[in-house]
Amino acid sequence: MVADLKNQFLRNIFIPASLVTSLAAPLAAEANTVDIQDDAQQSVHHYLDFNILSIHDPFKRDMTTYWEEGKEKPFNEKNWGLGYTQLRDVTEAFGGTFRLGGTAGYYKNSYEKDSFYLGGVAEQAYRLGSKWEVAVGAMAGGITGYKHLLGYDVTPAGQFFVRGEYDSTVSVKLGFIPEFGIDDKKNPALVTLQASYKF
């Protein structure tokens, strides 16, 4: 069972997220030949993140509970917590701005356990008029609080996301983690919600 969970997690989340973030190196290498050529021109973006919730099995809502010590329990979907994200403009590409950075933080996870996370972030951002920005990207890193699933204090973590930002001040991020751990219904697909204040 544990081996199956590991395989599904690696195949459906960690490997795809790693592939997306691995694109950072060749894109960053192009920074000397495109619009963003001078370090002084690169913008650094700082966000105070508010982790809010996760919706389990958002498309069917069939898998909203898990079993622990012989008891069926509902997933905790109020994942309150705080984090910090820093992103740097790397290059202009594909009609937008490619950014790299990192994120770290805390939240109360779906099993009512404390989770601390640290990861790298890559995103492609586009301006929509003078006030709005939309970005798509991925995060890959490590997280605590899931030892009961995979047997390790720190386990791989990853997600794909869409982020909307208004007036370079506030943003909302919707994250997606594909389904894994199907056999015991412990880890359905997840949609996560995070709000951020840019400073």
Side-chain angles (χ1 to χ4, degrees), residues 44-171:
V44 178
H45 311 270
H46 304 272
Y47 297 91
L48 176 63
D49 302 322
F50 300 92
N51 299 312
I52 300 173
L53 59 82
S54 61
I55 300 173
H56 295 74
D57 194 20
F59 308 110
K60 296 178 291 184
R61 296 296 284 176
D62 290 336
M63 294 160 49
T64 58
T65 61
Y66 66 99
W67 288 87
E68 184 176 75
E69 299 176 352
K71 296 180 181 178
E72 187 175 16
K73 300 180 179 181
F75 282 114
N76 170 42
E77 295 190 327
K78 297 177 181 178
N79 305 127
W80 306 115
L82 288 174
Y84 168 73
T85 299
Q86 178 178 299
L87 296 169
R88 178 181 291 272
D89 294 348
V90 174
T91 184
E92 298 296 326
F94 309 109
T97 304
F98 181 73
R99 296 176 179 146
L100 287 175
T103 186
Y106 160 85
Y107 66 93
K108 182 69 74 172
N109 73 25
S110 300
Y111 300 93
E112 299 284 357
K113 302 181 188 301
D114 294 323
S115 281
F116 296 89
Y117 60 89
L118 177 67
V121 180
E123 73 170 31
Q124 179 75 13
Y126 297 92
R127 296 297 302 178
L128 299 178
S130 61
K131 295 286 189 179
W132 288 94
E133 179 180 89
V134 64
V136 294
M139 184 277 284
I143 193 167
T144 67
Y146 297 92
K147 185 176 181 179
H148 62 294
L149 293 180
L150 300 177
Y152 300 101
D153 290 328
V154 179
T155 57
Q159 71 170 198
F160 305 99
F161 64 81
V162 176
R163 183 178 63 82
E165 183 172 304
Y166 177 73
D167 202 23
S168 296
T169 305
V170 295
S171 66

